[in-house]
Amino acid sequence: MSEFLSLVVSGVVSGAIYAILASGLVLTFQTSGIFNFAHGAVAFATAFFYFQLNQPTADGGVGMPMLPAALLAILVFAPLLGWVLDRVLFRRLATAPEFARIVGTVGLVIALPALCEWSVAKLNEILDWTLPDTTLVIRPPGLGPVPKKTWTLFEGVTVDSNQLIVLAAAALSALVLWLVLRHTRLGLETRAAVDRRDLAQLRGVDVEWTSSVSWMLSATLAGLAGVVLAPIFEITSLTFLILTFASFAAVVFAGLRSLPLAFVGGLAVGVIQNLVQGYAPPVLEDVTGFRTAVPFILLLLALFVFLGRGVGRAGAVVPEDHPPPDHREGLPAWRRRLPWILATVGLTVYVQWIADDFWAGLVAQGLVLGLIFLSFVVVTGLGGAVSLAQATFVTVGGFTAGWLVNHQWPSSTPLLMNNGRFNFLVAALAAAAVASVVGLFVALPSLRFGGLALALATLALAFIGDQLVFQLDSVRNSSSGWSVPAPQLGPFDLGQPRTMSMVLLALVLLGALLIHNLQNSSTGRAVLAVRSSEVAARTTGISPVRARLFPFVISAAIAGLGGAFFAVVNSPMTNTRAPAILGLIWLTVTVTFGVRRAGGAVLAGLVFATTPALLDGVATWSGAPWAWIPDDVRVALDSAAVPMILFGFGAISLARNPDGLLALVGGRARRSGRRDTGDAVDEKRAARTTTDVASTAERSTEDGRAPALALEQVRAGYGDAEVLHGVDLAVHPGTAVALLGANGAGKSTLCSVAAGLIDPWGGRVLRAGEDVGATPTFRRARGGLYLAPEARGVFPDLTVEQNLALHLPDGDGRDRAFGRFPLLADRRSQPAGLLSGGEQQLLTLAPALLHPPDVLVADEPTLGLAPIVTEQIMSMVEELRDSGVAVLLVEEKAREALEVADVVAFMELGRVTWVGPREEADAERLAAAYLGVEDT
């Protein structure tokens, strides 16, 4: 019994660390929609900073006492780091597709620890400082007494002061965060921002401020975890990353949203981890990574039990993740092939006649990586899934090839065998086959998950393989690994770097051709169809199961084949050659150069393999062509951390563009050409529109009052497509302007420009005569502009009362709203997403009735509503108009709109074609607006 209690108590302590980390992850996901894979990197950076402050001056540190050092690290450094990361990274990722959000934070996993270690090393070199670095065993004292105090709870069960502090910190942080998110204005605004970011701005929420605060709080939690963890584990980036990844099981147990459950889940993971290890069968006791693998097994189980299809769309990515336009669109076939031809010829000439054996060997390593990186093009570029298990397939391929070429067989077939051993090429093909089977197993979660959940599932499987399967002596051939000598293929000796490079170049070209044919085949089109819409794909006879599994199987086969050659150029092949963390680095490198293009993958492999040597050459060769680079800069480049920093931040910068560096120039040229083409207009229609609107504008200003809202020659659009072409429109206080037009006329775009959701390309937006074109959306909302958007203006995950509280912070105001709308009062604690369409529209307009704005912009308020509800909504609009509110009513239902309008404006293809009193809006003008019939 004492052994059981001891395991539980020590498990609660390690679980408390998971609980702190999980709380920070839940906070950022709940408030920004970003799952921060780099949370552990922030913890490492804070712990590293704390160590520098606390280390005695005799050892190179600052010598600051423990408590001030901890407070400065946790309450100053960590929040400041969170604020900086929000400003430069997370704020841009908040509106990015899910793929970009995952890859962006994975890039930070690689870059931030490397930046910390590089900064200390180079400060020591350049300024002759003696700051301690990670080459030392870094384990600073804890936050409790030194030396630590120990208490005996039961016979054989003890607890020390450091462990109690960890547990107290976890409980306190979870409680404070829960109170902040559930019972403060900040918590309400942050949850609204992640629920519907644009709508939150329309309700006066400064989403950038709430984002900064939430990331500062999250970084503070990460820093707290790092500092309390420091005396228990050595401060290494790998330790912190693995501990953070292990805490993902608690986050999933919490459904990615519940802080109390994240706390409980973290404790449970720690306890289960200890109990499983303590009572494990003898065969597993000697497996080094067994204890580390337990949380990842729990993560995989939690994904199936607690998430299901709740996070991410099965099979690939969310609908917003449509592939971007091809920057090579319109180029003839020869122009697309020319870069490949020139690169092949150039590389062949360089390897055969210019490079020495060292550089030829680096090219061979780069081509091996290029072959491996082609697997990302299949699974991510084509399949749209973020797989974090590609390094696992490489290790499987390397171990398979090593096992086959190192075992004697009783019979020998000359075609397959050589002196009783498998020929290397046969072993390489077998490696691809075995890896594809493993890939099929790894792909099974894609039948249930998509997006983030699928990425977490592949991460869990990668670390289970890394820490458990590949640690078995029978699999890895003990610590010595599998030796795979360079084979002799007929007259070709692959032991020669030049020969190996040419063989690999041929394989890379075949792989690129395979991917090209796959992308243009019926199978590739089926994968893209399922990626875009599974329902639509099913109706055309496409099998979603096959379309989801196929990219994983093919990518695993490519990675496995690459793993066989990887084992040759990195012989012996051990379990540390291609760990799961290295797979994350490979992903960031491929994304930097272009994960959708085979050329990007090959270039990424060559650059990744040669960059350390190139940087070393820059640092050590003082002559031409580097003479112009200052000596301090050249010395700073001489570090293994520099490539990690470059590739990590490169992936962060280019995560939103899967064509990477290859598309930058071509993409800019394409956008410029389309913008020029879009400038053409219909002169006849523009002239007629200008005359009609100008005459109406004169009538609308006869009383001398400035319009409450006015648009003057506004041009706006999305991407390269201009939607509004010089729109003029004015709305006065106490007046309702009905904006009518067919679907696609640009009415909703006009509303978004008025509210500030879309910046105009030209023209002015005026509020009471003041130009507000540069005013943020939330400030326009606070200034009295209320937009009821199309498709309901409610936050589905917030309750009815919380929806009202965003616009009516005073409890009395909400009580008056419930008094006027008893239907809402009956559902005050119900999530707004569960209301009917009519009830949601009532909830949208109720705050405006209780606290009337200066301007109400109602975009299709009766869309999809029953006639009786439509009548009720229109009476609310009339009431607001009669109270002095300037109303812009956007509608397709002309009859209902004309009943409440004072002024009518017709819109057609991005232009206001006529504005006038309601009495002059005759049938011919209606026909012209809705049917495109020219009025005579």
Side-chain angles (χ1 to χ4, degrees):
M1 186 64 180
S2 61
E3 180 185 5
F4 174 81
L5 291 175
S6 179
L7 290 172
V8 170
V9 171
S10 59
V12 167
V13 174
S14 58
I17 296 174
Y18 295 149
I20 298 175
L21 293 168
S23 297
L25 288 163
V26 169
L27 170 66
T28 51
F29 187 82
Q30 192 172 0
T31 57
S32 70
I34 297 174
F35 192 92
N36 185 16
F37 284 83
H39 196 65
V42 176
F44 167 79
T46 307
F48 193 50
F49 180 74
Y50 165 67
F51 175 74
Q52 302 294 334
L53 294 178
N54 182 249
Q55 187 77 355
T57 54
D59 296 328
V62 177
M64 186 178 293
M66 176 268 296
L67 186 57
L71 292 176
L72 188 60
I74 297 171
L75 300 180
V76 177
F77 175 81
L80 182 61
L81 178 60
W83 180 81
V84 170
L85 291 176
D86 173 63
R87 300 285 297 185
V88 302
L89 171 62
F90 297 128
R91 190 168 297 179
R92 296 190 304 131
L93 290 179
T95 56
E98 192 166 36
F99 163 82
R101 295 199 296 267
I102 295 172
V103 172
T105 57
V106 168
L108 190 61
V109 167
I110 307 304
L112 185 57
L115 181 61
C116 294
E117 297 173 4
W118 174 83
S119 299
V120 169
K122 295 312 166 184
L123 286 173
N124 289 341
E125 285 185 22
I126 297 173
L127 301 179
D128 294 326
W129 290 0
T130 57
L131 294 173
D133 57 28
T134 53
T135 59
L136 304 173
V137 176
I138 301 178
R139 187 173 290 178
L143 300 183
V146 179
K148 64 184 180 182
K149 295 184 178 180
T150 303
W151 298 273
T152 300
L153 301 180
F154 307 99
E155 182 180 355
V157 180
T158 61
V159 63
D160 61 48
S161 54
N162 285 339
Q163 293 174 326
L164 287 178
I165 287 174
V166 171
L167 185 59
L172 181 62
S173 60
L175 177 61
V176 170
L177 281 180
W178 181 79
L179 291 173
V180 168
L181 285 180
R182 293 295 171 181
H183 297 282
T184 66
R185 179 75 181 181
L186 171 64
L188 178 62
E189 290 184 348
T190 51
R191 284 183 291 135
V194 73
D195 200 4
R196 290 185 65 181
R197 183 181 179 88
D198 284 349
L199 182 60
Q201 297 180 77
L202 294 173
R203 296 299 171 261
V205 176
D206 184 352
V207 295
E208 294 186 353
W209 180 79
T210 58
S211 173
S212 293
V213 172
S214 64
W215 282 107
M216 290 169 68
L217 286 174
S218 174
T220 301
L221 282 179
L224 175 64
V227 171
V228 299
L229 186 152
I232 302 174
F233 299 93
E234 294 181 15
I235 300 179
T236 66
S237 58
L238 182 60
T239 298
F240 278 73
L241 293 178
I242 290 179
L243 284 171
T244 303
F245 292 162
S247 72
F248 289 176
V251 180
V252 174
F253 172 76
L256 305 181
R257 294 189 178 277
S258 172
L259 284 168
L261 287 179
F263 174 76
V264 173
L267 297 182
V269 169
V271 171
I272 294 172
Q273 184 181 28
N274 264 22
L275 292 176
V276 170
Q277 184 191 28
Y279 295 102
V283 69
L284 294 175
E285 289 181 354
D286 297 331
V287 179
T288 306
F290 172 62
R291 186 177 189 276
T292 306
V294 172
F296 295 100
I297 297 173
L298 295 176
L299 170 59
L300 197 61
L301 294 174
L303 283 168
F304 280 93
V305 174
F306 297 107
L307 283 193
R309 292 180 179 267
V311 177
R313 191 165 53 90
V317 290
V318 293
E320 60 185 315
D321 293 342
H322 296 304
D326 187 352
H327 69 279
R328 305 176 304 167
E329 183 179 358
L331 292 178
W334 70 268
R335 180 63 180 81
R336 291 172 176 249
R337 298 190 187 105
L338 183 61
W340 283 97
I341 296 172
L342 294 178
T344 301
V345 172
L347 195 61
T348 301
V349 170
Y350 173 76
V351 169
Q352 293 297 329
W353 292 285
I354 300 177
D356 57 20
D357 285 348
F358 172 77
W359 284 98
L362 285 182
V363 170
Q365 293 182 25
L367 289 171
V368 168
L369 292 176
L371 182 60
I372 293 170
F373 293 176
L374 288 176
S375 67
F376 287 110
V377 179
V378 176
V379 71
T380 301
L382 175 63
V386 179
S387 171
L388 303 180
Q390 297 306 104
T392 302
F393 305 141
V394 172
T395 302
V396 168
F399 280 176
T400 301
W403 190 87
L404 288 175
V405 300
N406 280 280
H407 278 78
Q408 290 281 354
W409 298 86
S411 61
S412 178
T413 303
L415 183 62
L416 302 177
M417 315 286 285
N418 181 21
N419 296 325
R421 301 177 187 271
F422 272 96
N423 287 327
F424 173 75
L425 285 184
V426 176
L429 293 175
V434 173
S436 67
V437 174
V438 176
L440 179 62
F441 174 75
V442 173
L444 293 178
S446 70
L447 300 179
R448 184 176 179 86
F449 307 127
L452 172 61
L454 180 58
L456 291 174
T458 57
L459 180 73
L461 290 167
F463 274 93
I464 291 171
D466 208 26
Q467 301 296 323
L468 182 59
V469 178
F470 299 148
Q471 298 280 355
L472 298 173
D473 287 342
S474 58
V475 174
R476 65 175 181 167
N477 195 28
S478 299
S479 59
S480 58
W482 295 106
S483 178
V484 185
Q488 181 86 24
L489 301 179
F492 303 108
D493 181 8
L494 269 63
Q496 299 297 319
R498 290 176 174 79
T499 305
M500 174 64 90
S501 296
M502 292 299 98
V503 171
L504 288 169
L505 180 59
L507 281 176
V508 165
L509 292 175
L510 286 175
L513 181 61
L514 170 67
I515 292 174
H516 172 76
N517 292 336
L518 176 61
Q519 290 172 331
N520 293 280
S521 67
S522 58
T523 301
R525 290 191 293 272
V527 171
L528 290 175
V530 172
R531 173 179 174 177
S532 298
S533 173
E534 178 183 329
V535 175
R538 285 181 183 275
T539 61
T540 60
I542 294 174
S543 169
V545 173
R546 178 183 175 187
R548 291 184 202 135
L549 298 181
F550 183 78
F552 272 94
V553 173
I554 296 299
S555 71
I558 294 173
L561 180 63
F565 285 90
F566 184 85
V568 174
V569 299
N570 293 281
S571 186
M573 184 67 184
T574 67
N575 60 299
T576 61
R577 290 292 189 187
I581 291 292
L582 182 59
L584 303 185
I585 299 174
W586 287 347
L587 174 62
T588 62
V589 177
T590 310
V591 169
T592 300
F593 287 89
V595 76
R596 242 187 2 150
R597 302 290 175 219
V602 177
L603 181 60
L606 289 170
V607 172
F608 185 68
T610 57
T611 293
L614 288 171
L615 293 176
D616 180 69
V618 173
T620 57
W621 186 14
S622 59
W626 317 119
W628 59 275
I629 302 178
D631 290 344
D632 289 346
V633 175
R634 289 192 293 105
V635 170
L637 294 176
D638 186 17
S639 171
V642 172
M644 301 301 98
I645 297 171
L646 294 177
F647 294 132
F649 283 114
I652 292 170
S653 302
L654 296 167
R656 299 185 70 155
N657 186 351
D659 280 340
L661 290 174
L662 293 182
L664 288 184
V665 176
R668 286 171 182 164
R670 176 182 56 81
R671 287 191 296 270
S672 176
R674 291 193 176 182
R675 177 64 59 85
D676 292 341
T677 303
D679 287 339
V681 296
D682 184 340
E683 297 293 342
K684 177 181 177 181
R685 180 177 298 155
R688 175 172 55 82
T689 299
T690 301
T691 301
D692 287 343
V693 173
S695 61
T696 305
E698 291 175 1
R699 292 196 301 269
S700 65
T701 58
E702 286 176 354
D703 58 3
R705 294 183 303 166
L709 173 67
L711 284 75
E712 295 181 351
Q713 287 297 301
V714 168
R715 297 169 53 247
Y718 307 91
D720 302 321
E722 184 174 290
V723 177
L724 303 181
H725 313 293
V727 170
D728 288 286
L729 191 64
V731 188
H732 282 79
T735 302
V737 176
L739 182 62
L740 306 179
N743 212 7
K747 305 186 300 296
S748 294
T749 302
L750 185 149
C751 295
S752 295
V753 170
L757 293 176
I758 298 176
D759 293 328
W761 297 357
R764 297 196 304 167
V765 179
L766 304 175
R767 277 275 290 111
E770 179 183 353
D771 190 345
V772 294
T775 303
T777 301
F778 76 93
R779 292 198 182 278
R780 298 191 200 187
R782 292 178 183 178
L785 191 149
Y786 191 94
L787 171 61
E790 185 180 13
R792 315 293 177 255
V794 300
F795 300 93
D797 290 341
L798 301 185
T799 65
V800 170
E801 184 163 12
Q802 289 168 344
N803 271 268
L804 290 174
L806 282 168
H807 197 72
L808 301 171
D810 185 9
D812 292 339
R814 296 196 295 276
D815 289 340
R816 286 189 292 116
F818 288 134
R820 174 156 184 182
F821 301 102
L823 189 63
L824 297 180
D826 294 339
R827 293 165 172 76
R828 63 191 308 159
S829 300
Q830 182 175 319
L834 300 180
L835 300 178
S836 67
E839 292 167 344
Q840 290 186 26
Q841 201 60 280
L842 288 178
L843 180 58
T844 299
L845 294 176
L849 282 172
L850 273 297
H851 188 273
D854 296 329
V855 179
L856 170 68
V857 180
D859 187 7
E860 303 283 3
T862 65
L863 182 65
L865 300 184
I868 188 171
V869 182
T870 296
E871 183 179 346
Q872 185 178 7
I873 296 299
M874 285 302 180
S875 68
M876 296 169 69
V877 172
E878 281 188 283
E879 180 179 341
L880 286 167
R881 179 202 62 191
D882 294 340
S883 68
V885 175
V887 177
L888 176 59
L889 177 61
V890 175
E891 267 293 346
E892 286 188 15
K893 299 176 181 177
R895 183 177 62 82
E896 289 82 354
L898 290 174
E899 289 179 356
V900 301
D902 302 297
V903 177
V904 178
F906 293 132
M907 196 165 190
E908 181 183 352
L909 297 179
R911 296 179 178 85
V912 175
T913 57
W914 183 84
V915 179
R918 177 183 57 184
E919 296 78 11
E920 298 181 14
D922 54 24
E924 290 184 354
R925 295 191 189 279
L926 284 172
Y930 283 90
L931 304 177
V933 179
E934 293 287 347
D935 55 321
T936 58

